[in-house]
Amino acid sequence: MAKPKGGSAAAPTPAAPPPTKRLPAGAKATAGLCVFIAAMGVVAQQAYDIRMYAIRDYGYVIHEFDPWFNFRATKYLAEHGWHAFFHWFDYKAWYPLGRPVGTTIYPGMQITSVAIWRAMPHYMPLLGLQPMSLNDVCCMVPAWFGITASVSLGALTAECSGTWSAGVAAAAIMAVIPAHTMRSVAGGYDNESIALTAMCTTFYFWTRALRPDPAVADGRATKASVVFGVLCGAAYVYMVAAWGGYVFVVNMIGVHAAALCACGRYTSKLHRAYSLFYVIGTLGATRVPPVNWAPVRNLEQMGPLLAFVGMQLLEYVEVQRRARKLSVLQVQLLRAKLALPIALALVGAAALLMQFGYFGPLSARVRGLFVKHTRTGNPLVDSVAEHQPANEQAYSHYLHHIYHIAPYGFLLSLVRFTDANLFIVLYAGTAYFFSNKMARLVILLGPVASALGGVLLGVAADQLLVRPVARLGSRILRLPSPPATGAAEATAAEGAEEEEKEEDRSGKDASASAKERRKKGGKGGAKAEAALGEAWSHARALGALAMEGVELVYANPVSCLLRIALGAYAVYWCVPRGREFYDYSHQLAEGLSQPQIMFKAKTYNGQEVMVDDYREAYWWLRDKTPEDARVMAWWDYGYQITGIANRTSVADGNTWNHEHIATLGRILTAPQEEAHSYARHLADYVLVWAGGGGDDLAKSPHMARIGNSVFRDICPGDPTCSKFGFYQGGQPTPMMEECLLYKLTMHGQRGIAANESLFQHVFTSRYGKVRIFKVRRVSLKSKKWVADPANRRCDAPGSWYCVGQYPPALAPLIARRKNFAQLEDFNTKRSSEDEAYDKEYHERMSGRKGPSDGPGGGGGSKGRPGLWYLGCVGAEALLGEERTYSGGADGSTLAEARAFAKEAGSRYVALARSGMDGHAFAIPALPQGWKAGSL
């Protein structure tokens, strides 16, 4: 070392410590993504396993009612091709009218299933597996899509919360939560099974499109907003093709976009994402046959359209702001200047179009979500149990522990205000509101409840375990301090974007204001503006300094140890409850996996049997009746009659024609002779469900109400038909005792028999659950008349769309029908008689009016017939292996259940009720661990 001239040697300067290196943000994100993907493998396995009970216990069997139509439509698409499928007028359904399936079906599930089935021969052999049959593919689709829905929900939660931990926890909850499995068990081939995947994917692409990009300034659009806006629109098109619940999806995104604008968070990024989503999604939606032009005509879809129009106005102003460097005040004035004439023009156009009946009314189901009472005014809609309001018991049943922790996740979501996180908050509030109005919509609450539960668990894991352990580990091993998590990065990026935009606008506003004041010769205003800006900068700096101090305390080793201790206690507290939730979900999934078309039961001697009566009856129809046989049954069973028996049904679950179903109700609830005079022109056989437990007698009051809504002479002056039913104890009213349905259902019991000269008994299933009667003296003239294509009304010469007509012999009956005018149909003028009928219906159904001694009222036995309430369970399987299924005319009355239990020598009874329908069980002893008040 050289010695400097004229001086002593300088002391050596110690070398500066090397700068601490942080992991690159990209490396951290990649590591988090890898952990997330690995966790999704476990989630997929759990989601698959919990949905396979039906396959393991019953084999590859299609469940319930609607899935049989879906399967039949899938077979038709596979066998006849795309063109024939969309031009399919089905004359085996809704006899004699038929149904235009091609224009009334949401085809997403059928197209998906056929695509998977056709692809299997190409890739299954490569995996050493044999291709599956179309039936097996349809059984498995709900389980497969249960996996994809869980993963999509995890990605959505991670995007909104900014932490992979929350995404993993949410996906794990979604995989097993009953609110999801209720519609996605293997064999439950229904639209909702794939719709949740489409919905969660659409929502994920939407929130991903709004992710901030630090490289983009001044509120301009990002590349992600364009790319993911397009993907969001495409996913929404699939959602529309899959399920009628697409209306919720488009309104949810529209509400979120409008809320962002109202919160002052409008950017060109939001404009690109929403505009691309809406344009692509709406154009695609109009190509789905049952939707057509509904997005621009139906009232429930006007909100997203108005949001789209408003977005274009805001973007025009935003472009002007950047081009002309407008101040905030000038921007607001320009918005008001443009909004007023546009709003007036829209109001004028809407008023004009309403005069021509352009706008469609709210459907009865949608209207039922907003009325104060629990009835829609349509007895057909009200007859479906899942259209009734949900309650706390339903939430606990389908959400279990998640119902109690989701509110805390909601509160945590309120703390972190970002574009994406606001979506989760709005989704939670909206889904809760609608599920509270209709029990079926609990399925919409399942994903967001899982997301909120995941937010709570994920944030707790991050703050109490992951971060403090990583920080202490880095101190001990002298490693670089852990970088910010994804949540912090996202918040910082979005905060930086907002701050930069605010600074830019503030600077421009101050500059513009100063220029204006200088033009007017005032210098004091400019100084005040500068002072205000400086004060705002100081306030922000102080806030940042305070947050930095909090972070230092939070990252202190002592604080980290306390957090770890708290996290360990949280794990200790959560593990047993997590096990309870997991076990409960599996128990309920096993119960939900019962196909209903067949089920296990125990006889009096304790022997377990498989009750397969329903398929047995349909197979009898398939094998023992002519191919052109027509089968009359309540509309619930129509899909199974056509799907399994391959015979013509009079009505099914599509319920598109209220008057036709009312005609069916009129026939079934009429006395035998009158009923035969109508049935001989429509059917060759009549099928009824018997044996109690939700059989046709339990449903018969609904049949009478629906029939009376069109044929007012069934129950004159009583829209609820309170004199058609049963007294306490199962004794039928005189009106019930005389009707055809009662005679056929109770045939051969208690000395009751059908008139064999009119309806000949030809089949009873093994356990008495189904009876079939042959209609005597069938009118061959009417049958030939309906079968003649010349008697169908086509919408154009040579068209495939040709609707059948009732035979002339039924003209007097059809002439007596009064078309049902729904309360919400403002395009049709309603008479005072309709108004009075609707008012009477609501008053009687709510209990405010009506006889006190009617069926189920105060007549008959008073109070509970010697029974004490012990509690409630969530699934039939929880009643124990010794439970015995009850029979009888009405399996859902306390008196009937008590009599059955006494006969079976059992001490306990259980009822599973939904409105008038239900099952009763006799239980010799409570399962181990049960006691009063603990259920």
Side-chain angles (χ1 to χ4, degrees), residues 822-883:
Q822 295 187 162
L823 179 63
E824 71 275 4
D825 194 352
F826 52 75
N827 287 327
T828 302
K829 187 176 181 180
R830 304 178 76 236
S831 65
S832 57
E833 181 184 358
D834 293 330
E835 297 286 353
Y837 184 91
D838 186 78
K839 181 180 179 181
E840 183 81 4
Y841 173 83
H842 282 298
E843 288 183 347
R844 288 179 176 268
M845 291 300 289
S846 64
R848 297 193 301 269
K849 186 176 181 181
S852 60
D853 57 349
S861 303
K862 294 183 180 295
R864 293 193 179 105
L867 297 176
W868 288 266
Y869 176 76
L870 295 182
C872 179
V873 296
E876 176 184 322
L878 300 179
L879 297 175
E881 296 296 330
E882 301 301 321
R883 68 186 185 276

XYZ file of all heavy atoms in Angstrom, residues 822-883:
469
model
N -99.986 -14.258 -14.614
C -99.067 -14.091 -13.493
C -99.048 -12.637 -13.032
O -99.194 -11.706 -13.819
C -97.661 -14.548 -13.877
C -97.598 -16.036 -14.161
C -96.173 -16.507 -14.365
O -95.902 -17.677 -14.279
N -95.267 -15.605 -14.629
N -98.857 -12.481 -11.747
C -98.907 -11.162 -11.131
C -97.918 -10.195 -11.759
O -98.175 -9.017 -11.902
C -98.612 -11.305 -9.631
C -98.598 -10.022 -8.813
C -99.974 -9.388 -8.832
C -98.173 -10.314 -7.382
N -96.741 -10.725 -12.180
C -95.701 -9.840 -12.671
C -95.833 -9.512 -14.159
O -95.046 -8.742 -14.694
C -94.326 -10.461 -12.421
C -94.023 -11.665 -13.289
C -94.590 -12.941 -12.694
O -95.270 -12.853 -11.668
O -94.353 -14.012 -13.260
N -96.797 -10.125 -14.861
C -96.891 -9.935 -16.303
C -97.609 -8.619 -16.597
O -98.804 -8.573 -16.831
C -97.634 -11.115 -16.945
C -97.477 -11.142 -18.456
O -96.932 -10.169 -18.991
O -97.885 -12.128 -19.081
N -96.843 -7.517 -16.613
C -97.455 -6.206 -16.811
C -97.789 -5.943 -18.273
O -98.419 -4.957 -18.607
C -96.538 -5.098 -16.276
C -95.127 -5.166 -16.794
C -94.803 -4.785 -18.089
C -94.122 -5.642 -15.977
C -93.511 -4.858 -18.546
C -92.821 -5.714 -16.434
C -92.516 -5.332 -17.726
N -97.362 -6.830 -19.184
C -97.734 -6.677 -20.585
C -99.153 -7.162 -20.846
O -99.695 -6.959 -21.919
C -96.763 -7.446 -21.486
C -95.413 -6.763 -21.568
O -95.333 -5.552 -21.510
N -94.351 -7.544 -21.682
N -99.738 -7.857 -19.871
C -101.101 -8.364 -19.998
C -101.975 -7.709 -18.937
O -101.644 -7.734 -17.754
C -101.134 -9.895 -19.805
O -100.283 -10.496 -20.781
C -102.545 -10.427 -19.963
N -103.049 -7.137 -19.370
C -103.956 -6.478 -18.429
C -104.697 -7.530 -17.615
O -105.290 -8.447 -18.163
C -104.953 -5.593 -19.182
C -105.816 -4.742 -18.258
C -106.714 -3.804 -19.047
C -107.542 -2.946 -18.110
N -108.427 -2.030 -18.869
N -104.664 -7.392 -16.301
C -105.284 -8.357 -15.419
C -106.643 -7.850 -14.965
O -106.817 -6.681 -14.659
C -104.388 -8.641 -14.210
C -103.015 -9.105 -14.604
C -102.122 -9.347 -13.401
N -102.468 -10.588 -12.723
C -102.786 -10.682 -11.448
N -102.823 -9.592 -10.706
N -103.065 -11.844 -10.889
N -107.594 -8.781 -14.899
C -108.942 -8.417 -14.506
C -109.040 -8.301 -12.999
O -108.155 -8.738 -12.252
C -109.937 -9.476 -15.013
O -109.686 -10.719 -14.370
N -110.137 -7.724 -12.534
C -110.359 -7.626 -11.093
C -110.501 -9.007 -10.472
O -110.134 -9.224 -9.314
C -111.611 -6.789 -10.823
O -112.738 -7.361 -11.474
N -111.015 -9.968 -11.259
C -111.145 -11.340 -10.771
C -109.769 -11.954 -10.515
O -109.558 -12.644 -9.513
C -111.913 -12.193 -11.788
C -112.105 -13.635 -11.345
C -112.790 -14.466 -12.416
O -113.146 -13.905 -13.474
O -112.945 -15.693 -12.207
N -108.805 -11.689 -11.434
C -107.441 -12.193 -11.249
C -106.802 -11.576 -10.005
O -106.125 -12.255 -9.231
C -106.588 -11.875 -12.474
C -107.047 -12.638 -13.705
O -107.567 -13.757 -13.537
O -106.887 -12.106 -14.821
N -107.003 -10.283 -9.823
C -106.446 -9.603 -8.659
C -107.019 -10.181 -7.366
O -106.291 -10.421 -6.395
C -106.739 -8.101 -8.737
C -106.108 -7.379 -9.916
C -104.606 -7.193 -9.730
O -104.098 -7.511 -8.631
O -103.951 -6.735 -10.683
N -108.333 -10.402 -7.352
C -108.975 -10.941 -6.159
C -108.494 -12.369 -5.891
O -108.259 -12.756 -4.736
C -110.491 -10.917 -6.330
N -108.337 -13.156 -6.943
C -107.868 -14.533 -6.791
C -106.460 -14.564 -6.199
O -106.170 -15.340 -5.287
C -107.888 -15.235 -8.149
C -107.510 -16.701 -8.095
C -108.496 -17.677 -7.924
C -106.198 -17.109 -8.223
C -108.171 -19.021 -7.881
C -105.858 -18.452 -8.171
C -106.843 -19.410 -8.008
O -106.508 -20.735 -7.959
N -105.594 -13.698 -6.708
C -104.218 -13.658 -6.223
C -104.176 -13.217 -4.759
O -103.417 -13.773 -3.951
C -103.402 -12.706 -7.097
C -101.930 -12.712 -6.743
O -101.229 -13.656 -7.143
O -101.490 -11.776 -6.052
N -104.970 -12.234 -4.398
C -105.006 -11.761 -3.022
C -105.498 -12.859 -2.091
O -104.918 -13.095 -1.012
C -105.913 -10.529 -2.928
C -106.001 -9.952 -1.517
C -106.920 -8.727 -1.491
C -107.021 -8.182 -0.071
N -107.922 -6.997 -0.024
N -106.534 -13.561 -2.518
C -107.073 -14.641 -1.704
C -106.058 -15.759 -1.527
O -105.912 -16.339 -0.445
C -108.348 -15.188 -2.368
C -109.048 -16.280 -1.589
C -109.921 -15.733 -0.479
O -110.045 -14.502 -0.362
O -110.475 -16.541 0.289
N -105.334 -16.056 -2.593
C -104.307 -17.118 -2.548
C -103.233 -16.799 -1.510
O -102.878 -17.636 -0.677
C -103.686 -17.278 -3.935
C -102.495 -18.213 -3.987
C -102.682 -19.587 -4.095
C -101.193 -17.717 -3.938
C -101.599 -20.453 -4.152
C -100.107 -18.572 -3.990
C -100.313 -19.934 -4.099
O -99.235 -20.778 -4.151
N -102.732 -15.569 -1.542
C -101.672 -15.187 -0.609
C -102.172 -15.179 0.832
O -101.451 -15.603 1.745
C -101.111 -13.821 -0.980
C -100.165 -13.847 -2.144
N -98.978 -14.537 -2.123
C -100.241 -13.264 -3.369
C -98.361 -14.383 -3.284
N -99.101 -13.626 -4.050
N -103.378 -14.706 1.059
C -103.900 -14.647 2.415
C -104.085 -16.040 2.992
O -103.780 -16.291 4.156
C -105.223 -13.880 2.436
C -105.059 -12.385 2.230
C -106.376 -11.642 2.315
O -107.440 -12.323 2.284
O -106.355 -10.406 2.418
N -104.575 -16.951 2.172
C -104.792 -18.314 2.663
C -103.475 -19.065 2.850
O -103.306 -19.800 3.816
C -105.705 -19.076 1.708
C -107.160 -18.627 1.758
C -108.017 -19.395 0.776
N -109.418 -19.022 0.885
C -110.306 -19.636 1.663
N -109.916 -20.661 2.409
N -111.552 -19.246 1.713
N -102.533 -18.879 1.928
C -101.257 -19.591 2.032
C -100.435 -19.084 3.209
O -99.622 -19.803 3.773
C -100.453 -19.448 0.745
C -101.048 -20.194 -0.448
S -101.192 -21.972 -0.195
C -99.478 -22.462 -0.241
N -100.643 -17.809 3.577
C -99.906 -17.250 4.712
C -100.586 -17.546 6.037
O -100.048 -17.226 7.096
C -99.753 -15.731 4.540
O -101.021 -15.102 4.559
N -101.797 -18.143 5.980
C -102.503 -18.480 7.211
C -103.341 -17.362 7.768
O -103.932 -17.510 8.838
N -103.387 -16.220 7.062
C -104.175 -15.094 7.575
C -105.671 -15.287 7.353
O -106.481 -14.583 7.931
C -103.724 -13.793 6.899
C -102.300 -13.404 7.186
C -102.031 -11.968 6.767
N -102.284 -11.736 5.358
C -101.346 -11.860 4.420
N -100.118 -12.232 4.748
N -101.634 -11.628 3.151
N -106.015 -16.273 6.501
C -107.417 -16.487 6.192
C -107.622 -17.939 5.858
O -106.748 -18.583 5.296
C -107.841 -15.595 5.017
C -109.319 -15.636 4.692
C -109.636 -14.657 3.585
C -111.121 -14.657 3.243
N -111.439 -13.724 2.165
N -108.762 -18.475 6.156
C -109.041 -19.857 5.799
C -109.644 -20.603 6.957
O -109.587 -20.185 8.126
N -110.265 -21.737 6.694
C -110.908 -22.516 7.751
C -109.881 -23.075 8.714
O -108.828 -23.537 8.326
C -111.606 -23.644 6.972
C -110.849 -23.759 5.686
C -110.392 -22.372 5.369
N -110.223 -23.043 10.010
C -109.290 -23.534 11.016
C -109.313 -25.044 11.141
O -108.441 -25.633 11.753
C -109.637 -22.924 12.383
O -110.944 -23.287 12.764
N -110.367 -25.677 10.563
C -110.470 -27.128 10.684
C -110.133 -27.829 9.382
O -110.542 -28.956 9.158
C -111.873 -27.520 11.139
C -112.935 -26.989 10.177
O -112.583 -26.149 9.305
O -114.100 -27.391 10.298
N -109.402 -27.158 8.484
C -109.002 -27.798 7.239
C -107.866 -28.758 7.459
O -107.351 -28.915 8.560
N -107.451 -29.450 6.379
C -106.354 -30.397 6.483
C -105.100 -29.736 7.003
O -104.667 -28.716 6.512
C -106.165 -30.873 5.032
C -107.478 -30.595 4.383
C -108.029 -29.391 5.050
N -104.533 -30.323 8.018
C -103.315 -29.778 8.587
C -103.556 -28.600 9.499
O -102.641 -28.012 10.032
N -104.861 -28.202 9.677
C -105.159 -27.077 10.522
C -105.488 -27.497 11.921
O -104.925 -28.407 12.487
N -106.496 -26.807 12.491
C -106.789 -27.101 13.884
C -107.649 -28.309 14.094
O -107.840 -28.742 15.211
N -108.271 -28.875 13.016
C -109.120 -30.037 13.188
C -108.348 -31.278 13.501
O -107.157 -31.379 13.381
N -109.071 -32.323 13.902
C -108.426 -33.590 14.193
C -107.695 -33.528 15.513
O -108.061 -32.848 16.452
N -106.632 -34.279 15.602
C -105.847 -34.345 16.829
C -105.224 -33.005 17.120
O -104.700 -32.359 16.244
C -104.763 -35.435 16.696
O -105.351 -36.661 16.403
N -105.264 -32.613 18.376
C -104.673 -31.331 18.754
C -103.334 -31.563 19.414
O -103.150 -32.464 20.196
C -105.601 -30.580 19.709
C -106.914 -30.172 19.054
C -107.738 -29.383 20.010
C -109.054 -28.965 19.382
N -108.884 -28.041 18.276
N -102.346 -30.681 19.078
C -101.019 -30.799 19.671
C -100.246 -31.967 19.112
O -100.666 -32.639 18.195
N -99.119 -32.223 19.709
C -98.299 -33.355 19.279
C -98.907 -34.629 19.840
O -99.207 -34.709 21.037
C -96.864 -33.193 19.771
C -96.127 -32.032 19.144
C -94.637 -32.145 19.448
N -93.901 -31.046 18.844
C -93.415 -30.011 19.518
N -93.589 -29.946 20.814
N -92.756 -29.063 18.901
N -99.075 -35.683 19.031
C -99.708 -36.921 19.488
C -98.760 -37.740 20.352
O -98.262 -38.781 19.940
C -100.047 -37.626 18.181
C -99.017 -37.146 17.206
C -98.722 -35.737 17.608
N -98.498 -37.285 21.585
C -97.655 -38.054 22.479
C -96.208 -38.095 22.078
O -95.537 -39.105 22.299
N -95.699 -37.029 21.475
C -94.309 -36.990 21.015
C -93.586 -35.817 21.659
O -94.183 -34.773 21.925
C -94.248 -36.864 19.489
C -94.844 -38.018 18.675
C -94.797 -37.684 17.197
C -94.089 -39.307 18.940
N -92.275 -35.988 21.923
C -91.442 -34.924 22.460
C -90.299 -34.662 21.502
O -89.677 -35.618 21.002
C -90.890 -35.314 23.832
C -91.943 -35.300 24.901
C -92.249 -34.287 25.747
C -92.844 -36.364 25.218
N -93.278 -34.632 26.584
C -93.672 -35.909 26.274
C -93.058 -37.651 24.698
C -94.662 -36.702 26.826
C -94.057 -38.437 25.247
C -94.842 -37.956 26.308
N -90.033 -33.401 21.258
C -88.973 -33.030 20.315
C -87.591 -33.217 20.938
O -87.339 -32.752 22.053
C -89.156 -31.568 19.884
C -88.063 -31.054 18.978
C -88.032 -31.417 17.634
C -87.080 -30.197 19.456
C -87.041 -30.949 16.792
C -86.080 -29.726 18.633
C -86.066 -30.102 17.290
O -85.077 -29.623 16.454
N -86.701 -33.910 20.226
C -85.344 -34.138 20.701
C -84.320 -33.288 19.967
O -83.344 -32.841 20.547
C -84.974 -35.621 20.559
C -85.772 -36.611 21.420
C -85.249 -38.018 21.195
C -85.686 -36.242 22.891
N -84.476 -33.093 18.679
C -83.491 -32.320 17.928
C -83.598 -32.565 16.440
O -84.561 -33.171 15.962
N -82.591 -32.084 15.721
C -82.594 -32.136 14.261
C -81.253 -32.671 13.781
O -80.208 -32.377 14.364
C -82.839 -30.740 13.688
S -82.851 -30.671 11.898
N -81.274 -33.458 12.708
C -80.042 -33.975 12.112
C -79.976 -33.513 10.661
O -80.984 -33.142 10.068
C -79.960 -35.518 12.183
C -79.907 -35.983 13.614
C -81.136 -36.154 11.452
N -78.770 -33.574 10.082
C -78.574 -33.025 8.746
C -78.790 -33.990 7.613
O -78.887 -33.575 6.464
N -78.851 -35.294 7.867
C -78.992 -36.257 6.774
C -79.639 -37.525 7.294
O -79.521 -37.880 8.479
C -77.630 -36.567 6.151
N -80.314 -38.218 6.396
C -80.999 -39.452 6.758
C -80.031 -40.485 7.320
O -80.354 -41.231 8.245
C -81.711 -40.000 5.516
C -82.393 -41.332 5.721
C -82.979 -41.861 4.435
O -83.506 -41.050 3.640
O -82.889 -43.073 4.207
N -78.810 -40.535 6.768
C -77.836 -41.532 7.203
C -77.483 -41.383 8.676
O -77.070 -42.353 9.328
C -76.573 -41.434 6.350
N -77.661 -40.174 9.235
C -77.316 -39.938 10.634
C -78.340 -40.532 11.597
O -78.126 -40.525 12.810
C -77.187 -38.433 10.885
C -76.125 -37.702 10.055
C -76.138 -36.216 10.385
C -74.747 -38.287 10.304
N -79.453 -41.041 11.059
C -80.462 -41.646 11.922
C -80.060 -43.022 12.411
O -80.734 -43.600 13.263
C -81.806 -41.741 11.179
C -82.439 -40.410 10.765
C -83.683 -40.655 9.939
C -82.760 -39.566 11.993
N -78.977 -43.568 11.862
C -78.501 -44.867 12.311
C -78.903 -45.992 11.385
O -79.827 -45.869 10.558
N -78.224 -47.095 11.521
C -78.450 -48.244 10.650
C -79.766 -48.955 10.942
O -80.266 -49.713 10.112
C -77.277 -49.228 10.778
C -75.945 -48.669 10.301
C -75.959 -48.361 8.819
O -76.689 -49.049 8.073
O -75.267 -47.417 8.401
N -80.345 -48.742 12.140
C -81.545 -49.470 12.533
C -82.835 -48.762 12.107
O -83.921 -49.218 12.431
C -81.554 -49.662 14.060
C -80.337 -50.420 14.595
C -80.232 -51.816 13.982
O -81.287 -52.467 13.803
O -79.102 -52.237 13.678
N -82.721 -47.666 11.390
C -83.916 -46.932 10.997
C -84.752 -47.762 10.023
O -84.238 -48.538 9.234
C -83.528 -45.600 10.348
C -82.834 -45.750 9.009
C -82.359 -44.404 8.495
N -81.796 -44.480 7.159
C -80.537 -44.825 6.888
N -79.701 -45.117 7.877
N -80.114 -44.870 5.641
